[in-house]
Amino acid sequence: MRILTLASRNVRRNWHRSLVTMLAMAFACLIMIFFASLMEGMIQGSERSVVSMNMGDIQIHAHGYRDDPDLYTRIDNDTALVAAIEREGFRAAGRIYGYGLLAAKMASSGVHLRGIDLKQEVKVTELHRHVGSGQWLDESESKGVVLGKKLAGTLGVELGDELVFVGQSSDGYMANELFRVRGVLKSVSDGIDRMGMFMPMQTLRNLLVIPEGVHEIVIIRPDRTTDLSAETARVEALAEGLEVKNWKQLMPVIARMIETADVQIMIMLVIFYIAVATVVLNAMLMNVFERIHEFGIMKALGVSPWQLVALVFAETFILTLLASIVGLAGGWWVSDYYRIHGIDLSSMAESIAYGGIAFDPLWYAAITTEALVYPVLFLFIIAAVAVIYPAVKAAMLRPVKAIYFR
């Protein structure tokens, strides 16, 4: 018996029911491909927000600095260390930090200063591309600074306004200086938004009297597909006596959220496809009950129970294959549209933050192999499971009783 030929004829014979069943499965496949693409987009966007915007892949600090960010706890010989790290293929940049009070007009706020090596920083982060208004830092304008978004709002300053800084330098004297707002960042992270003030590294060295050393070295991997733990170990070998942490160790909440995203996709696949399974089960059960008389004749003519099981499975396979093609094409098209245009969530919230990290309110989909393959694979598995009972029902029919069934 030609199973596939007979199955395709049976699918065409009840084409109304076949079409409804196929479209239900195709719609579920489309939705799940779109959902998986959105989740993949969220994962990639989250990692980009954490790594490319501020943290880098790996950070180096002097032991104790992260617990007590003191001006004097610095990494010595930072220039040689950065050069050694870059010889290994990484990109690295040093940073120095300070704290103080910033005032403008009638307002004041605590501020976290960050001195940046402008040539190196652009190699490791994308902060220079995240300026909401104004311009990024420039060595030629040493007193021009860039502020976090909320800090600028707290002080009520705009581009070109003067800022007065008061703090303590490393020599024990008071540090004070006039700065000018050169740019204001978009949302980056809660800490940077509320207190971040960026300036050229040499400007901050002069202000806080820090002649040498840095508080932090930020590193980016040459290849993002490499194992982060192994790359961290490579950097540890170069930075002997210093604390080396990767971003997953520094931001465990975000790392856990990203790592569990795949599990969330699987859970949604199972929940959504359970509904699809009931549609398939119902359609194939109706199909079997309508054809009991026909199955009885087939068994009387010598068709074995296993051939009937194969026939029911083949019909389901054809429906699932057609649904997969339609669902894959539709899901790919919808995902690609939102990969380009994104979903604008800014009307729901001006900025979206999780674990202290601000995320782009434009949520883009990302089309990956997993996002396309998993929904289709699950559709075949669920359809195969759902059709077991109707297939067994057809195989267990008694020929004489089935022939006279009405």
Side-chain angles (χ1 to χ4, degrees):
M1 187 175 70
R2 295 179 178 177
I3 301 291
L4 279 177
T5 303
L6 191 56
S8 63
R9 287 176 181 170
N10 288 332
V11 169
R12 289 198 303 272
R13 186 175 60 177
N14 295 310
W15 69 272
H16 285 98
R17 184 170 57 233
S18 300
L19 182 64
V20 171
T21 306
M22 187 271 289
L23 288 178
M25 290 193 289
F27 179 72
C29 186
L30 183 155
I31 293 296
M32 288 315 304
I33 287 174
F34 180 46
F35 174 76
S37 300
L38 284 177
M39 291 298 289
E40 291 289 348
M42 187 197 72
I43 293 170
Q44 293 182 12
S46 302
E47 187 166 343
R48 177 179 173 276
S49 295
V50 174
V51 175
S52 303
M53 203 58 68
N54 183 40
M55 298 282 295
D57 285 315
I58 302 166
Q59 291 191 353
I60 302 175
H61 302 91
H63 282 290
Y65 179 78
R66 288 196 308 117
D67 298 326
D68 180 15
D70 192 284
L71 276 180
Y72 307 98
T73 309
R74 299 193 292 264
I75 302 170
D76 298 323
N77 301 319
D78 57 290
T79 305
L81 180 56
V82 168
I85 292 169
E86 291 196 324
R87 280 197 295 273
E88 293 293 318
F90 297 98
R91 300 192 300 273
R95 296 170 177 170
I96 57 175
Y97 293 108
Y99 292 89
L101 183 68
L102 194 66
K105 300 178 181 176
M106 300 299 290
S108 62
S109 175
V111 65
H112 185 201
L113 308 177
R114 180 184 294 188
I116 290 175
D117 183 335
L118 297 184
K119 291 181 180 176
Q120 292 294 111
E121 185 73 23
V122 296
K123 299 179 181 177
V124 298
T125 67
E126 297 180 2
L127 271 175
H128 58 289
R129 299 176 182 167
H130 208 63
V131 179
S133 60
Q135 295 178 306
W136 183 237
L137 301 171
D138 193 321
E139 294 280 8
S140 63
E141 189 182 351
S142 60
K143 301 296 171 59
V145 297
V146 173
L147 301 180
K149 184 178 180 180
K150 292 180 181 176
L151 176 61
T154 301
L155 297 175
V157 294
E158 298 178 350
L159 298 178
D161 286 351
E162 280 194 340
L163 304 164
V164 179
F165 171 78
V166 180
Q168 186 174 9
S169 61
S170 65
D171 59 1
Y173 290 97
M174 177 179 288
N176 57 82
E177 187 59 86
L178 282 176
F179 293 101
R180 190 174 296 280
V181 180
R182 179 178 169 84
V184 177
L185 291 172
K186 301 175 186 174
S187 288
V188 179
S189 67
D190 188 53
I192 290 177
D193 289 355
R194 286 189 299 105
M195 297 182 65
M197 178 174 168
F198 298 77
M199 64 184 67
M201 182 178 286
Q202 192 56 49
T203 302
L204 189 54
R205 284 192 187 282
N206 296 338
L207 176 65
L208 301 182
V209 192
I210 303 174
E212 59 185 18
V214 296
H215 294 118
E216 181 178 276
I217 294 176
V218 181
I219 300 166
I220 286 287
R221 286 176 288 173
D223 181 358
R224 301 209 57 75
T225 61
T226 55
D227 183 74
L228 182 58
S229 298
E231 299 290 38
T232 306
R234 285 180 61 201
V235 174
E236 275 181 327
L238 298 171
E240 193 174 348
L242 298 170
E243 182 185 64
V244 179
K245 299 281 185 184
N246 59 50
W247 73 268
K248 291 186 177 180
Q249 295 167 320
L250 295 168
M251 302 289 292
V253 175
I254 301 296
R256 200 173 302 118
M257 181 195 77
I258 292 174
E259 287 170 357
T260 57
D262 286 340
V263 178
Q264 296 173 32
I265 294 174
M266 291 298 174
I267 292 173
M268 285 300 297
L269 279 171
V270 171
I271 294 173
F272 205 77
Y273 278 0
I274 286 176
V276 178
T278 60
V279 173
V280 177
L281 176 64
N282 184 56
M284 296 312 296
L285 266 179
M286 288 174 60
N287 194 11
V288 168
F289 279 118
E290 284 181 359
R291 294 158 59 194
I292 286 179
H293 177 73
E294 174 187 327
F295 286 144
I297 294 175
M298 292 175 70
K299 294 192 79 172
L301 291 175
V303 176
S304 69
W306 284 111
Q307 285 178 315
L308 282 182
V309 170
L311 179 64
V312 175
F313 267 91
E315 292 174 14
T316 307
F317 174 78
I318 291 171
L319 288 174
T320 310
L321 182 63
L322 293 173
S324 300
I325 294 171
V326 175
L328 184 61
W332 199 327
W333 180 79
V334 173
S335 300
D336 190 58
Y337 177 84
Y338 285 100
R339 179 186 65 82
I340 297 170
H341 300 284
I343 300 174
D344 190 358
L345 302 176
S346 57
S347 60
M348 301 169 61
E350 187 177 351
S351 64
I352 301 171
Y354 181 81
I357 299 296
F359 295 100
D360 194 335
L362 272 177
W363 185 358
Y364 293 95
I367 300 176
T368 63
T369 304
E370 290 80 6
L372 298 176
V373 170
Y374 285 167
V376 173
L377 186 62
F378 261 72
L379 186 62
F380 274 95
I381 293 173
I382 289 293
V385 171
V387 83
I388 288 176
Y389 177 68
V392 171
K393 185 78 177 173
M396 298 294 289
L397 291 174
R398 295 177 182 275
V400 176
K401 192 174 178 180
I403 288 172
Y404 291 101
F405 179 81
R406 290 288 184 273

